[in-house]
Amino acid sequence: MSGGDMAKPLLGRGGVEGERGAAPAAGRTIGVLGSGDFARSLAIRLVCAGFKVVVGSRNPKRKAGLFPPAAEVTFQAEAARKTDVIFVAVFREHYSTLCDLADVLAGKILVDVSNNTELNHHRESNAEYLASLFPACTVVKAFNVISAWTLQSGARDGNKQVLICSNNQEAKRIVAEIAQVMGFTPVDMGCMSSACEIENIPLRLLPAWKIPIFLALGLFLCFFTYNLVRQVIHPYIREQKNKFYKIPIEVVNTTLPCVAYVMLSLVYLPGVLAASSQLYYGTKYRRFPDWLDQWLQHRKQIGLLSFFCAALHAVYSLCLPMRRSHRYQLIETAVKQAVEKKMTVWVEEEVWRMEIYISVGIMALGLLSLLAITSLPSIANSLNWREFSFVQSTLGFIALVTSTLHTLTYGWSRAFDENQYKFYLPPTYTLTLLVPCTVILAKVVFSLPCVHQRLLRIRRGWEKGRYVKFVLPSATGEYSSGESSSNV
Ligand code: NAP
């Protein structure tokens, strides 16, 4: 099954189709084996959605008070006898204790909602294990990605997708119908062999974030070490000055914008590489290398991490004047000035540099916030493709340019001052400018009419060296066809 198919709901959403599907499902009697957190939330949600619910417990008397009055709480065998679709809200370890119910469960649909505590914990998935214990039943894997809390809140908040798989199409359809009536979006994940993958989903810790987080940490470590050497180690070795107090705030605060800025440029660099590859090969039908594909897919996370670092940089910068070290330095400067009988320390150029530096910095952060907000699914869904691409592509590029201005006004003429080359190391800002400036330059080249037109044609299916049929309007307005080399 293709990725696109997997993302499609099993049933049409809303409208007449949705209502038609809902009618036979609502009113059906659903069984739930188990009386724990998940069973309770499931029963509440099913009752709210108009189903009759029979809960099967080992101790129904004790558990009955925990369920809504509309749900019947009885012994497991009784619940199994009364219903055809039964949710098994019991941990895998206890499946074997249900084997006594095998006869009464025969021919029925068992919905496996279980999760594991570790990725690929068992050789076979929980659903396949349940199916092996109850060969006369039809097992459907579903609802394990929905938490008890989401079930109770009625699918208004949290994840709305219910991933479903089974070897039996009809059973899958029935469970999908139930999910839809409950307000969830059923997603067909194919046959039972997908159960393992579905069971691993709730256990994955930010899978799409791993690479971007490692990238951010790697950059942070590199820039932090570089700044530490320049701001702390160098004065200590060369002038025996103790500047170690700078580590928690100053060094961190000079590192954060470096990471934010480089990460922002790394959002746009893969697009530049992809466009260069398309221009070079003269086609859009050539697959990008895997690393570039992966990079393109992680742009959102890289961008959000860039925003995170930029936001932290803003907070750290606001806190700089609060430090004791800053106050002592101010007083020392004032005293020095008084001793030297200096009336003013005003340097016009410095004043202007700082004003512009802070202003463009605030603008860059504002633009980054806009990019971060529009990447949230709920906001992104409310934009059409053109609006989304305008914000992410055009405003994103403006944010990169603004950040570059912020960096340049920060550095000003320091790159030309030889005292700034500590241990022959250039100022950090000059290093951070490398990738972003390459991206900006490439974008400028791509916007030249001759390059832009060629890229546009390639993206509309034109290929280098391919002969295409063309249709031209004649002087009389009629159309004549012929063959032409698209290279021309
Ligand atoms: P739970 O609160 O511990 O409930 C488990 C229930 O299993 C017990 O209340 C018990 O009900 C029943 N049970 C049947 N035979 C048992 C036995 N031999 N030993 C112990 N209990 C037995 O667990 P839960 O959180 O509801 O989770 C139930 C299932 O849902 C699990 O497979 C879990 O992975 C899955 N799940 C839970 C969540 C969630 O958010 N909690 C989310 C997704 C999936 P009786 O005493 O009445 O028989």
Side-chain angles (χ1 to χ4, degrees):
M1 175 177 291
S2 71
D5 286 342
M6 293 213 298
K8 274 186 214 153
L10 274 174
L11 302 171
R13 276 211 270 159
V16 182
E17 199 186 340
E19 279 157 25
R20 229 192 281 131
R28 186 191 278 270
T29 305
I30 309 284
V32 179
L33 289 180
S35 62
D37 296 334
F38 193 82
R40 218 162 30 247
S41 303
L42 186 66
I44 292 170
R45 189 73 215 130
L46 284 166
V47 166
C48 290
F51 293 100
K52 291 185 188 113
V53 178
V54 183
V55 179
S57 166
R58 291 168 304 165
N59 194 341
K61 257 195 186 167
R62 222 181 87 199
K63 304 290 177 72
L66 302 171
F67 286 83
E72 181 186 345
V73 183
T74 180
F75 286 101
Q76 289 175 336
E78 185 67 1
R81 198 182 55 75
K82 284 186 169 173
T83 52
D84 292 331
V85 180
I86 300 150
F87 284 78
V88 184
V90 170
F91 285 105
R92 176 192 170 120
E93 307 83 277
H94 306 134
Y95 282 177
S96 56
T97 65
L98 302 174
C99 283
D100 294 346
L101 307 171
D103 288 340
V104 70
L105 287 174
K108 303 196 172 182
I109 297 173
L110 297 184
V111 184
D112 182 292
V113 300
S114 67
N115 282 319
N116 290 314
T117 44
E118 285 170 37
L119 281 170
N120 302 314
H121 195 178
H122 303 281
R123 202 166 37 84
E124 89 271 69
S125 66
N126 296 351
E128 286 166 316
Y129 173 59
L130 186 69
S132 71
L133 292 178
F134 298 93
C137 299
T138 304
V139 175
V140 176
K141 179 85 210 179
F143 284 92
N144 65 305
V145 294
I146 303 290
S147 69
W149 178 83
T150 306
L151 276 171
Q152 282 223 25
S153 66
R156 280 187 306 273
D157 308 318
N159 182 16
K160 282 187 79 173
Q161 286 191 334
V162 170
L163 310 183
I164 302 176
C165 77
S166 173
N167 289 337
N168 186 306
Q169 287 298 327
E170 180 57 12
K172 204 157 58 170
R173 192 191 61 77
I174 292 171
V175 176
E177 212 172 83
I178 294 168
Q180 200 178 32
V181 176
M182 288 166 78
F184 293 101
T185 308
V187 179
D188 188 351
M189 295 291 286
C191 56
M192 193 50 100
S193 53
S194 305
C196 203
E197 186 192 338
I198 300 179
E199 284 169 13
N200 280 338
I201 288 174
L203 296 175
R204 286 205 196 110
L205 184 67
L206 308 170
W209 286 83
K210 244 180 221 159
I211 296 174
I213 286 175
F214 279 123
L215 180 70
L217 286 178
L219 282 172
F220 187 89
L221 211 67
C222 291
F223 281 118
F224 183 84
T225 314
Y226 195 84
N227 289 328
L228 186 77
V229 170
R230 282 178 47 80
Q231 294 176 20
V232 180
I233 310 287
H234 182 269
Y236 185 71
I237 292 180
R238 286 286 155 89
E239 300 157 45
Q240 281 75 50
K241 278 188 183 161
N242 182 350
K243 303 264 183 187
F244 286 91
Y245 73 90
K246 285 187 172 184
I247 295 175
I249 296 188
E250 259 185 69
V251 179
V252 172
N253 193 36
T254 40
T255 303
L256 284 169
C258 300
V259 180
Y261 183 41
V262 174
M263 293 279 283
L264 183 62
S265 67
L266 293 182
V267 173
Y268 295 97
L269 184 60
V272 166
L273 295 177
S276 309
S277 150
Q278 289 177 339
L279 281 169
Y280 180 75
Y281 293 107
T283 177
K284 68 167 185 175
Y285 299 110
R286 197 176 202 276
R287 248 189 76 90
F288 296 132
D290 281 347
W291 58 267
L292 185 54
D293 238 10
Q294 284 272 327
W295 193 352
L296 285 162
Q297 281 168 32
H298 285 104
R299 282 179 297 176
K300 173 178 159 181
Q301 288 78 12
I302 297 174
L304 285 173
L305 284 174
S306 160
F307 167 67
F308 175 69
C309 292
L312 282 184
H313 168 54
V315 176
Y316 268 93
S317 301
L318 286 176
C319 294
L320 286 179
M322 290 181 199
R323 295 168 311 144
R324 282 253 169 251
S325 56
H326 178 76
R327 288 187 206 169
Y328 293 150
Q329 274 164 0
L330 272 186
I331 296 168
E332 267 179 27
T333 317
V335 171
K336 238 188 225 167
Q337 215 183 303
V339 171
E340 289 169 13
K341 294 198 172 73
K342 258 192 194 169
M343 292 311 287
T344 177
V345 283
W346 187 278
V347 181
E348 190 72 13
E349 184 185 308
E350 269 302 292
V351 170
W352 274 100
R353 180 184 76 81
M354 209 60 187
E355 303 288 310
I356 298 169
Y357 160 66
I358 294 174
S359 178
V360 283
I362 294 170
M363 275 185 217
L365 184 64
L367 286 167
L368 276 181
S369 320
L370 212 62
L371 296 183
I373 291 168
T374 46
S375 70
L376 296 174
S378 52
I379 308 284
N381 289 344
S382 69
L383 303 173
N384 66 30
W385 173 244
R386 188 146 184 227
E387 290 161 345
F388 184 77
S389 121
F390 170 75
V391 174
Q392 294 296 327
S393 187
T394 313
L395 289 189
F397 180 66
I398 295 173
L400 186 65
V401 174
T402 318
S403 308
T404 304
L405 290 177
H406 181 60
T407 311
L408 286 172
T409 42
Y410 167 79
W412 210 243
S413 55
R414 272 182 238 189
F416 309 106
D417 177 0
E418 70 179 79
N419 291 329
Q420 293 295 323
Y421 287 74
K422 313 274 168 72
F423 292 137
Y424 303 104
L425 299 173
T428 323
Y429 84 96
T430 54
L431 298 185
T432 62
L433 281 166
L434 288 176
V435 185
C437 286
T438 312
V439 173
I440 292 171
L441 202 72
K443 286 259 188 192
V444 171
V445 172
F446 291 157
S447 67
L448 294 175
C450 53
V451 186
H452 181 69
Q453 284 303 321
R454 190 178 167 90
L455 203 54
L456 217 62
R457 280 203 296 161
I458 289 171
R459 287 180 178 167
R460 285 182 156 267
W462 176 87
E463 285 187 88
K464 185 165 84 175
R466 279 259 174 121
Y467 281 88
V468 291
K469 231 181 165 137
F470 66 88
V471 180
L472 284 176
S474 67
T476 56
E478 289 170 343
Y479 285 81
S480 63
S481 64
E483 296 267 318
S484 160
S485 164
S486 56
N487 256 337
V488 181

